[in-house]
Amino acid sequence: MIERWDAPRTTARADELGRLLFDAVNSGAAVGFLPPLDRDHAWAYWVDVARSIAAGSLQLLVLEQEGEVIGAVQLREAQRSSAAHRAEVAKLMVRSVHQQKGYGRRLMLAVQALALERGRTTLVLDTRSGDRAERLFAALGWVKSGEVPRYARSADGSLHTGAQYHLLLGDQGAARP
């Protein structure tokens, strides 16, 4: 089941979300953190996410199965009036033992539907170029806008190219989720 979590629920379950983040980072996901990621850092990150939810700038969708958090994705909504139609999809994570089962796709479709529901018709995201997530984004109709060399650092210190994607929803004629 995929649900949108509010700030109190996110804070209350920050340890579980921290385990999800820890698993994602340690399995090599391009989510903006480098291993080793300690428990306190992961917990603090989710408390910050809860603050952003409370402030109204971020939406969090969480996928649970039998009470276990197995995936999450964020919708970071642009706050300026000139960008009220735009949002960034960020931190798509699925626990490593549950990958390749369609959960990432379900989370992406859910976040796209949420964006449209909230009046956000231009979505953007970035990932490490060559990451397997690129296949998912392409299959869902996301368009690769370009690449930025030396965009992200890996645990070994090497720099990787970042891939930028966009998706137009709604009345612009693009595919709906």
Side-chain angles (χ1 to χ4, degrees), residues 1-3 5 10 13-34 37 41-43 45-47 49 53 58-65 68-76 89-111 125-128 131-133 136-137:
M1 170 184 270
I2 297 174
E3 292 183 307
W5 283 17
T10 301
R13 297 188 63 189
D15 282 336
E16 292 172 76
L17 291 165
R19 286 191 291 278
L20 172 65
L21 179 60
F22 185 83
D23 177 72
V25 170
N26 289 324
S27 64
V31 291
F33 294 88
L34 295 176
L37 179 65
H41 192 120
W43 180 84
Y45 170 73
W46 290 106
V47 171
V49 166
I53 294 169
L58 187 144
Q59 305 295 318
L60 175 65
L61 294 178
V62 177
L63 172 62
E64 285 186 281
Q65 188 176 50
E68 177 190 8
V69 172
I70 63 169
V73 65
Q74 298 172 24
L75 184 70
R76 295 182 181 158
V89 173
K91 305 286 188 275
L92 173 65
M93 295 179 262
V94 175
R95 289 186 73 99
S96 57
V97 297
H98 294 287
Q99 291 180 2
Q100 305 301 309
K101 297 178 181 176
Y103 295 130
R105 178 182 177 79
R106 287 180 51 203
L107 283 162
M108 287 298 293
L109 291 173
V111 79
L125 63 78
D126 66 74
T127 191
R128 184 176 44 228
D131 197 86
R132 68 178 174 199
L136 170 62
F137 303 144

